Amino acid sequence: SQQGEEDPQALSIQEGENATMNCSYKTSINNLQWYRQNSGRGLVHLILIRSNEREKHSGRLRVTLDTSKKSSSLLITASRAADTASYFCATDRAGGTSYGKLTFGQGTILTVHP
Amino acid sequence: DVKVTQSSRYLVKRTGEKVFLECVQDMDHENMFWYRQDPGLGLRLIYFSYDVKMKEKGDIPEGYSVSREKKERFSLILESASTNQTSMYLCASSLTPTSGYTFGSGTRLTVV
């Protein structure tokens, strides 16, 4: 099964609304990262949260991490049509020498309607 | 900004061909990675490299090999292409384990 699993698989909202995506994982982690992918392109790094952090902000993005529940959420506030993309969580598993090797979830497809 | 360049955006190859996918980064990153992305399966790690000539298998290395002769270049090799290797291939690099990845634009490979 996937280390990172996003929920929901797809989300459709109107411009100006907030979008919340969730990610669950199974093993202990060093950090959790969120990425964005526009249609058919490479992924872009959005934000990284370490295992000892609970919340992090970057512009209109807010990420929370609950290590006791092994879950994270990404909130995009005041969404714009340009936020339409797929969003992936990725985990750097704790233990051993990982070299920052990431395991990705299957992603949430966000559609923001103008 | 760090740039990761993948040599081809689209590629069509025949079954049995040896295929080389090239990836070059321009910011002296230690770590480089190859993933493939398939609908419903997300991104899966094929191989990664943490230094010149050093490599480790990822989750799905079968049918692939890699080469890292210079720090900036990480090549993925399909020894004998098969139709089940039709996929989007994504290369990424990172400076440190906690610095996040920079991805290339991807190569969409079709094996016919």
Side-chain angles (χ1 to χ4, degrees), chain B residues 31-67:
Chain B
N31 308 307
M32 296 188 76
F33 308 84
W34 276 106
Y35 287 82
R36 63 178 281 179
Q37 182 178 21
D38 301 286
L41 297 176
L43 279 76
R44 293 177 292 167
L45 180 64
I46 305 171
Y47 265 98
F48 69 100
S49 169
Y50 51 91
D51 201 351
V52 176
K53 296 190 189 289
M54 306 303 288
K55 60 189 179 187
E56 281 197 21
K57 294 179 181 178
D59 299 318
I60 51 162
E62 296 78 19
Y64 302 94
S65 63
V66 290
S67 171

Side-chain angles (χ1 to χ4, degrees), chain A residues 2 31 33 35 37 39-45 48 50 88 92 97-106, chain B residues 9 31 33 35 37 40-43 45 48 50 56 88 90 94 97-101 103-106 108:
Chain A
Q2 297 288 327
N31 64 71
Q33 303 177 31
Y35 288 80
Q37 183 180 36
S39 180
R41 307 298 293 186
L43 282 72
V44 175
H45 180 254
L48 180 153
R50 291 180 168 77
F88 294 86
D92 177 8
T97 308
S98 75
Y99 300 104
K101 181 175 62 166
L102 295 179
T103 301
F104 286 81
Q106 295 183 21
Chain B
R9 185 85 182 92
N31 308 307
F33 308 84
Y35 287 82
Q37 182 178 21
L41 297 176
L43 279 76
L45 180 64
F48 69 100
Y50 51 91
E56 281 197 21
M88 169 71 101
L90 293 162
S94 69
T98 58
S99 60
Y101 286 7
F103 277 88
S105 296
R108 191 167 292 280

Side-chain angles (χ1 to χ4, degrees), chain B residues 14-28:
Chain B
R14 295 198 179 277
T15 301
E17 277 192 76
K18 190 168 186 175
V19 181
F20 293 85
L21 302 183
E22 306 288 345
C23 176
V24 177
Q25 50 97 359
D26 65 0
M27 273 300 278
D28 208 34

